[in-house]
Amino acid sequence: MAYFQGIPNDTTLTNLVSKDFEPKIQKGDLLSITIASLSPENTAIYNAPQNAQGPATGYLVDENGNIPFVKLGAIHAEGMTRKELKSKLEKDLTPYLAQAVVAVGFLNRHVTLMGGVSPQVLPMPGDNMTLLDALAASGDISEKGRADNVLVIREKGNSKEFKRLNLTDESVFYSPYFYLKPNDIVYVEPVKKKQDNTLRIISYITSGLSIAIFIIDRILK
């Protein structure tokens, strides 16, 4: 099924959904925090492995929204963006490190793809991932999936939002679900297979012929 049907050639779509947003740090996030400074020997302790979650090690945001940090104690990271946490750490580390430069990333954020695509869990290390990015990373929608019926399931507090998108026209570019958020589930509806009745029909015909032959044979006798 072709995407974006009906869009004229050499056109421009305006007033699209904006990508200018930054996700907030949440409880349960595993953060990658690396530090560089003019004092390498003093920096090493801050870059030592921290909490582990599976194969990844980083700073785990606990149930109170905090991360433990060397010499700084518990830092409340929940609700901050990566840039805000970066700025806070660089400022708070000033007494301990000369000209510290901090980089913050996400280690355990992901989106899940299911249905008429190659099912998989895709890492989401940055701030933005579009629906098209996720589908392309999974190998795109196969002939077994419907591009006109893609369901995005999104957590919102203690509830879940369900939004169906149609990739065969430009409406997807105006949807706030075009940009995926952490833990989104993308479900591509599979194409319903038409039931093959050929074998059943042949079976009926064969049975009917057998009965007819039997009746004719008995009459002739």
Side-chain angles (χ1 to χ4, degrees):
M1 184 179 294
Y3 292 177
F4 319 131
Q5 301 172 33
I7 299 179
N9 293 333
D10 304 322
T11 190
T12 299
L13 301 178
T14 58
N15 300 318
L16 303 179
V17 61
S18 174
K19 68 175 181 179
D20 296 329
F21 66 90
E22 291 185 80
K24 306 289 187 179
I25 295 172
Q26 304 171 1
K27 296 174 183 176
D29 279 342
L30 190 65
L31 304 177
S32 165
I33 301 178
T34 56
I35 300 173
S37 75
L38 296 180
S39 307
E41 65 282 359
N42 296 328
T43 306
I45 188 174
Y46 297 97
N47 292 322
Q50 303 296 320
N51 311 87
Q53 217 178 57
T57 57
Y59 290 84
L60 181 65
V61 183
D62 65 21
E63 65 276 6
N64 297 315
N66 300 328
I67 58 172
F69 210 84
V70 178
K71 294 188 178 181
L72 301 183
I75 295 178
H76 192 73
E78 182 186 14
M80 302 178 71
T81 65
R82 292 190 305 149
K83 289 182 180 179
E84 289 171 344
L85 181 57
K86 165 187 166 68
S87 297
K88 176 176 176 54
L89 289 174
E90 288 176 348
K91 178 181 177 181
D92 292 351
L93 286 171
T94 300
Y96 309 104
L97 296 173
Q99 298 184 25
V101 177
V102 178
V104 180
F106 296 114
L107 292 175
N108 63 343
R109 289 194 165 187
H110 63 272
V111 296
T112 303
L113 284 89
M114 304 173 63
V117 292
S118 176
Q120 57 188 287
V121 177
L122 295 177
M124 192 177 180
D127 291 341
N128 294 319
M129 175 184 285
T130 70
L131 177 59
L132 299 182
D133 292 334
L135 292 174
S138 70
D140 208 352
I141 299 176
S142 69
E143 68 278 1
K144 298 179 181 180
R146 292 183 53 182
D148 62 344
N149 196 352
V150 178
L151 177 66
V152 177
I153 305 172
R154 176 168 296 172
E155 293 182 2
K156 192 172 184 180
N158 294 324
S159 61
K160 291 186 181 295
E161 297 178 337
F162 296 80
K163 179 65 176 179
R164 295 190 181 275
L165 302 174
N166 183 358
L167 299 185
T168 64
D169 61 37
E170 72 275 15
S171 62
V172 65
F173 295 112
Y174 295 93
S175 172
Y177 290 81
F178 178 69
Y179 287 97
L180 298 177
K181 292 187 177 182
N183 303 320
D184 277 357
I185 299 173
V186 178
Y187 176 75
V188 179
E189 182 177 344
V191 174
K192 294 181 180 179
K193 293 182 179 180
K194 294 182 179 180
Q195 187 174 4
D196 189 356
N197 293 321
T198 304
L199 295 178
R200 185 179 298 177
I201 293 172
I202 293 174
S203 176
Y204 290 158
I205 293 174
T206 303
S207 298
L209 288 174
S210 298
I211 294 173
I213 291 171
F214 174 77
I215 294 174
I216 293 172
D217 181 66
R218 295 298 295 260
I219 293 174
L220 293 177
K221 289 181 178 181

